[in-house]
Amino acid sequence: MQVTISKNMIETYSLEEINKIAKQILSTPNLKKVITFHATMGAGKTTLIKELVKELGVTGNSSSPTFSLVNEYQSDSGEIIYHFDLYRINDELEAYDMGIDEYFYSDNWCFIEWPEKIPHLLPLDHASIVIRPLLNGKREILLKND
């Protein structure tokens, strides 16, 4: 694994290394609490988010909120984590009507799959993760936390 010490991180990882990647992401200095996840269908967004949620101290089962749009988790320390799957959102008004901006500005963790569905509603100050599947079965991840 290559490591970049900065606000940005590029790594290559296998599924067996996902716990290390989650720890590395969460140890990023001044990591923003709103994080968007960009990748194709099946690239591992939900799998990585499940690992991040676990690493943040959520002991219950976490899953993709595909049909409910948002799942709420509480960590052992009482911290709230929101996991959004916006794949089924038809337009930004639908997300706005559900109060999505209130979640984003709650100072709680917000992990957002399919953020390209709501480009005008995302806070300007957020981190982003791009996951790209590689031919060898591994994934390349790029974290931007500018």
Side-chain angles (χ1 to χ4, degrees):
M1 269 198 304
Q2 64 184 23
V3 179
T4 306
I5 307 297
S6 71
K7 293 180 180 182
N8 300 324
M9 172 183 93
I10 299 174
E11 294 289 339
T12 302
Y13 67 97
S14 66
L15 191 55
E16 294 78 27
E17 299 169 310
I18 199 162
N19 180 262
K20 287 188 237 176
I21 289 295
K23 287 180 181 187
Q24 191 170 346
I25 290 168
L26 292 172
S27 69
T28 300
N30 303 310
L31 180 63
K32 294 167 178 51
K33 285 192 154 185
V34 175
I35 305 174
T36 59
F37 291 77
H38 305 266
T40 58
M41 182 79 72
K45 296 180 297 291
T46 300
T47 303
L48 179 57
I49 290 171
K50 286 172 132 180
E51 198 61 38
L52 290 166
V53 166
K54 181 176 152 190
E55 199 57 40
L56 286 168
V58 174
T59 53
N61 187 23
S62 60
S63 61
S64 178
T66 302
F67 295 101
S68 62
L69 301 179
V70 61
N71 283 350
E72 179 180 327
Y73 308 109
Q74 187 168 4
S75 72
D76 294 338
S77 65
E79 198 169 23
I80 302 295
I81 300 118
Y82 296 112
H83 175 188
F84 297 87
D85 184 334
L86 303 177
Y87 183 75
R88 297 191 186 282
I89 288 280
N90 293 314
D91 56 42
E92 288 183 311
L93 184 58
E94 185 179 345
Y96 185 77
D97 286 346
M98 73 175 263
I100 203 163
D101 56 327
E102 292 178 33
Y103 291 101
F104 294 166
Y105 296 99
S106 67
D107 200 35
N108 293 307
W109 289 101
C110 293
F111 299 136
I112 308 158
E113 295 185 57
W114 303 104
E116 54 276 1
K117 297 277 200 153
I118 58 161
H120 301 101
L121 299 178
L122 293 171
L124 293 176
D125 194 28
H126 70 275
S128 67
I129 290 177
V130 177
I131 302 171
R132 189 171 62 96
L134 302 175
L135 293 176
N136 62 5
K138 292 188 175 194
R139 305 284 190 264
E140 180 181 78
I141 185 171
L142 168 63
L143 167 66
K144 290 184 181 180
N145 191 51
D146 298 328

